[in-house]
Amino acid sequence: MNTYKHEVKYYECDRMGVTHHSNYVRFMEEARVDYLDQLGFGFEKIEAEGVFSPVVSVQCNYKSPTTFKDVIDIQVAIGKVSEMKFEFLYEMRVGNKTVCTAESLHCFIENGRPVAISKRLPELFKAIQSQQ
Amino acid sequence: MNTYKHEVKYYECDRMGVTHHSNYVRFMEEARVDYLDQLGFGFEKIEAEGVFSPVVSVQCNYKSPTTFKDVIDIQVAIGKVSEMKFEFLYEMRVGNKTVCTAESLHCFIENGRPVAISKRLPELFKAIQSQQ
Amino acid sequence: MNTYKHEVKYYECDRMGVTHHSNYVRFMEEARVDYLDQLGFGFEKIEAEGVFSPVVSVQCNYKSPTTFKDVIDIQVAIGKVSEMKFEFLYEMRVGNKTVCTAESLHCFIENGRPVAISKRLPELFKAIQSQQ
Amino acid sequence: MNTYKHEVKYYECDRMGVTHHSNYVRFMEEARVDYLDQLGFGFEKIEAEGVFSPVVSVQCNYKSPTTFKDVIDIQVAIGKVSEMKFEFLYEMRVGNKTVCTAESLHCFIENGRPVAISKRLPELFKAIQSQQ
């Protein structure tokens, strides 16, 4: 898979002059969307089926600050996968320096209820498993 | 009508140490939501009827910078009103100082098409007119 | 300590109609700022001393979605404290329902280098310890 | 000059399923930064000289909604230029459709006071004039 690149915007930096920490959670989403696109399963296709994928949890470990115009390379990988949940792992670098590592856990819901990915979206489930 | 108060958040300030200019458009929305609530017409009630109110245009004139913890007092007033569109006017102050003046123009749509406010939401139309 | 209240804004909700998950990291910051204010140590006072407090890590566990106009009550508590780092714990509720639990880890830096809180800001250190 | 492209992010869309109107003000900034880069005058270079360029006013005219994954092409042009202020004009398109037109007015300040661009940053002034 190709890494995803995010160039830090002026409005993403705070009073300390660095990227506000909340924005990394948005960069994770951008990279995850791109990853699923590369896998052939765009968010908009999944949502068109009436299935939504809420975030169950996120964890971000800030290693080094970034700032305006830094290009952050985000490597996404699949972590733990079960019938009901799957995990994304993220490594964000600027050049050779790791600036942030992160993980996020996801489920799928339909009509407000959790669904088994392996049954409701079997092809996505296989594709995710194949990346482990 | 009561003014709406927004206390500037840390994450709303930029590298210059001041409130990023894009955030004032969000403060306008907050104040507009509050104004319509005071008038008895919450966004969520209007949307529950299947009617949405997109923004047609916004104009912001930045008079003086604000920063973290400033409490911005926002006075909202109704500007021009027609069958299809209505305008909000905003004056934002910190203490006695005007920090921003702004205006926004709005319409209503249902099933993707513009609707006459006076016909589709006659009570809201009357309430808005009464504030001119 | 008083809990901090955040009313969800229209612009904080996403295509799923719920509060976008990245915003909870911002709510955590709002609640932390308020907590430190109640303790007598505002961010702006600390920054005026040339000391900054970057976020080392955050973890959010999303329990139940929230949406436009929900009032989220955020209870902040102090977790682990050491010479170099301290932790905040958050419980977010809407009415009686826990919607999110979270934690964040912080350090202090001066001129780009980590400083021992107990030495550089001994009164803040004591105040934080007294809340454990 | 090349147009600037912004692909709409999931977190930029609101409850109506469309790009929240406040984000266009951020897209304007992104496009302006890119335009000045192409002209050879990056924000970070100007700020390194101790000069900041606040936004005096913005106006956005929303023509047609955009949504997740739309690629917005932003054409930037220089409007009115004077000793103290200059204007940017923006046309945003998705494919052949104009989705938003906008303008923004800017000045330069140093040590909190407005400066004449022609005197303080004469090369930038010439470059801007040459684009009219």
Side-chain angles (χ1 to χ4, degrees):
Chain A
M1 293 281 185
N2 298 323
T3 61
Y4 177 79
K5 290 180 198 307
H6 178 96
E7 186 174 331
V8 178
K9 305 302 184 292
Y10 193 87
Y11 60 77
E12 290 171 340
C13 294
D14 65 16
R15 272 163 52 110
M16 289 193 256
V18 300
T19 308
H20 191 267
H21 65 283
S22 63
N23 290 318
Y24 292 83
V25 178
R26 299 185 169 188
F27 305 161
M28 290 162 68
E29 184 181 86
E30 291 179 36
R32 193 162 67 238
V33 162
D34 179 67
Y35 184 94
L36 287 171
D37 277 345
Q38 289 188 56
L39 213 58
F41 295 89
F43 261 43
E44 72 287 5
K45 283 184 206 168
I46 297 172
E47 291 194 355
E49 290 221 33
V51 178
F52 291 89
S53 183
V55 180
V56 177
S57 65
V58 294
Q59 159 104 38
C60 278
N61 307 296
Y62 306 101
K63 303 293 188 186
S64 186
T66 62
T67 190
F68 181 43
K69 289 200 173 169
D70 277 345
V71 176
I72 305 178
D73 260 299
I74 311 178
Q75 179 84 53
V76 179
I78 299 289
K80 290 174 212 151
V81 176
S82 74
E83 290 284 300
M84 305 304 284
K85 288 177 188 167
F86 65 101
E87 189 184 48
F88 282 109
L89 308 173
Y90 310 80
E91 179 159 13
M92 306 192 198
R93 290 170 188 249
V94 174
N96 285 323
K97 194 183 227 174
T98 298
V99 295
C100 182
T101 61
E103 51 194 74
S104 62
L105 191 64
H106 304 265
C107 65
F108 284 100
I109 56 166
E110 189 169 21
N111 301 320
R113 292 200 179 170
V115 293
I117 312 161
S118 57
K119 283 172 196 154
R120 187 60 184 82
L121 297 162
E123 289 176 16
L124 173 60
F125 189 69
K126 269 183 214 164
I128 287 173
Q129 279 190 314
S130 74
Q131 297 298 320
Q132 281 191 291
Chain B
M1 293 280 185
N2 298 322
T3 61
Y4 176 80
K5 290 179 198 306
H6 178 97
E7 185 174 332
V8 178
K9 307 299 183 294
Y10 193 88
Y11 59 77
E12 291 171 339
C13 295
D14 66 15
R15 269 163 51 112
M16 289 193 256
V18 300
T19 308
H20 191 267
H21 66 282
S22 64
N23 290 318
Y24 292 83
V25 178
R26 299 185 170 189
F27 305 160
M28 290 162 68
E29 185 181 87
E30 290 179 35
R32 193 162 66 235
V33 162
D34 179 66
Y35 184 94
L36 287 171
D37 277 347
Q38 288 188 56
L39 213 58
F41 295 89
F43 262 42
E44 72 287 5
K45 283 185 205 166
I46 297 172
E47 292 194 355
E49 290 221 33
V51 178
F52 292 88
S53 183
V55 181
V56 177
S57 65
V58 294
Q59 160 104 38
C60 277
N61 308 296
Y62 306 101
K63 303 293 188 186
S64 186
T66 61
T67 191
F68 181 43
K69 289 197 173 172
D70 278 345
V71 176
I72 305 178
D73 259 300
I74 310 178
Q75 179 84 53
V76 179
I78 300 288
K80 290 174 212 150
V81 176
S82 73
E83 290 284 301
M84 306 303 284
K85 289 177 188 167
F86 65 103
E87 191 184 46
F88 282 109
L89 308 173
Y90 311 80
E91 180 160 13
M92 306 192 198
R93 290 169 188 249
V94 174
N96 286 323
K97 194 183 227 173
T98 299
V99 296
C100 182
T101 61
E103 51 193 74
S104 63
L105 191 65
H106 304 264
C107 65
F108 284 101
I109 56 166
E110 189 168 22
N111 301 321
R113 292 199 180 170
V115 292
I117 313 162
S118 58
K119 283 172 196 155
R120 186 60 184 82
L121 297 161
E123 290 176 16
L124 173 59
F125 189 69
K126 269 183 218 165
I128 288 173
Q129 278 190 315
S130 74
Q131 297 297 320
Q132 277 190 293
Chain C
M1 293 281 185
N2 297 323
T3 60
Y4 177 79
K5 289 179 199 307
H6 178 96
E7 185 174 333
V8 178
K9 306 300 184 293
Y10 193 88
Y11 59 77
E12 292 171 338
C13 295
D14 66 15
R15 271 163 52 111
M16 288 193 256
V18 300
T19 308
H20 191 267
H21 65 283
S22 63
N23 291 318
Y24 292 84
V25 178
R26 299 184 170 188
F27 305 161
M28 290 162 67
E29 184 181 86
E30 290 180 35
R32 194 162 66 235
V33 162
D34 179 66
Y35 184 93
L36 287 172
D37 276 346
Q38 289 188 56
L39 212 58
F41 296 88
F43 262 42
E44 71 288 4
K45 284 185 205 166
I46 297 171
E47 291 194 354
E49 291 220 31
V51 178
F52 292 88
S53 182
V55 181
V56 177
S57 66
V58 294
Q59 160 104 37
C60 276
N61 307 296
Y62 306 102
K63 302 294 187 186
S64 186
T66 62
T67 191
F68 182 42
K69 290 199 174 169
D70 278 346
V71 176
I72 305 178
D73 259 299
I74 310 179
Q75 178 85 52
V76 179
I78 300 289
K80 290 174 211 150
V81 176
S82 73
E83 289 284 301
M84 307 303 285
K85 288 177 188 167
F86 64 103
E87 191 183 46
F88 282 109
L89 308 173
Y90 311 80
E91 180 158 13
M92 306 191 199
R93 288 168 190 251
V94 174
N96 287 322
K97 194 184 228 175
T98 299
V99 296
C100 182
T101 61
E103 52 193 73
S104 62
L105 191 64
H106 303 265
C107 65
F108 283 101
I109 56 166
E110 189 170 22
N111 301 321
R113 292 199 179 171
V115 292
I117 312 162
S118 57
K119 285 173 195 155
R120 186 61 184 81
L121 297 162
E123 290 176 16
L124 173 58
F125 189 69
K126 269 182 216 162
I128 288 172
Q129 277 189 316
S130 75
Q131 297 298 319
Q132 279 191 295
Chain D
M1 293 280 185
N2 298 322
T3 61
Y4 176 80
K5 289 180 198 308
H6 179 96
E7 186 174 332
V8 178
K9 306 301 184 293
Y10 193 88
Y11 60 76
E12 291 171 339
C13 294
D14 67 15
R15 271 163 51 111
M16 287 192 257
V18 300
T19 308
H20 191 268
H21 65 283
S22 64
N23 290 318
Y24 292 83
V25 178
R26 299 185 170 189
F27 305 161
M28 290 163 67
E29 184 181 86
E30 291 180 35
R32 194 163 64 236
V33 163
D34 179 65
Y35 184 93
L36 287 171
D37 276 346
Q38 289 189 57
L39 212 58
F41 296 89
F43 262 42
E44 72 287 6
K45 284 184 205 166
I46 296 171
E47 291 194 354
E49 290 221 33
V51 178
F52 291 89
S53 182
V55 181
V56 177
S57 65
V58 294
Q59 159 104 38
C60 277
N61 307 295
Y62 306 101
K63 303 293 188 185
S64 186
T66 62
T67 191
F68 181 43
K69 289 199 174 169
D70 277 345
V71 177
I72 305 179
D73 260 299
I74 311 179
Q75 179 85 52
V76 180
I78 300 289
K80 290 175 213 150
V81 176
S82 74
E83 290 283 303
M84 307 303 285
K85 288 177 189 168
F86 64 102
E87 191 184 45
F88 282 108
L89 308 173
Y90 310 80
E91 180 159 14
M92 306 191 198
R93 289 167 188 251
V94 174
N96 287 322
K97 193 184 230 175
T98 298
V99 296
C100 182
T101 61
E103 52 194 74
S104 61
L105 191 65
H106 304 264
C107 64
F108 284 101
I109 55 166
E110 190 169 19
N111 301 322
R113 293 200 178 169
V115 293
I117 313 162
S118 58
K119 284 174 194 154
R120 186 62 184 80
L121 297 162
E123 291 178 14
L124 172 59
F125 189 69
K126 269 183 215 163
I128 288 172
Q129 278 190 315
S130 74
Q131 297 298 319
Q132 278 191 294

